[in-house]
Amino acid sequence: LALKRMSVRKGYRGAGIGTALCRTALAFARQGGHRAVVLSTLMVQREARALCERLGFRQHRRYVLPTAYGHLADCTVTVYRYELAGTD
């Protein structure tokens, strides 16, 4: 299952909303019989990367954004993967 977008308005960050949203997505994936959840973050999304890692996501791969800007700015994308235990 790919988690494409998730955000919390700046004034509400730090209240556990992102954690709750992510845990809900993981539960949805588990109930749907998915083996893993994957998501991508940019290098500047420090809080998002920290949240993923706190919840047990592991870095799966990294690459430079395949655009002219991505190469000029060395804009690195990190793909995270969360393995869902107990699914076949």
Side-chain angles (χ1 to χ4, degrees), residues 1-87:
L1 181 81
L3 181 55
K4 296 300 275 182
R5 287 191 176 70
M6 184 177 83
S7 63
V8 175
R9 192 174 188 164
K10 202 171 211 172
Y12 294 93
R13 292 179 189 166
I17 296 168
T19 298
L21 287 169
C22 199
R23 286 186 176 151
T24 299
L26 292 172
F28 175 82
R30 192 173 283 113
Q31 290 170 353
H34 297 279
R35 294 183 309 189
V37 176
V38 294
L39 59 86
S40 300
T41 64
L42 294 173
M43 61 187 183
V44 296
Q45 295 172 303
R46 291 177 191 89
E47 294 94 349
R49 290 186 2 242
L51 171 64
C52 294
E53 292 173 9
R54 269 196 319 274
L55 291 176
F57 282 82
R58 300 290 174 241
Q59 287 188 20
H60 182 61
R61 67 185 182 104
R62 295 176 69 176
Y63 62 92
V64 174
L65 196 63
T67 63
Y69 171 77
H71 289 286
L72 286 172
D74 192 25
C75 189
T76 303
V77 176
T78 303
V79 179
Y80 284 93
R81 184 176 176 97
Y82 185 100
E83 297 293 334
L84 296 166
T87 57

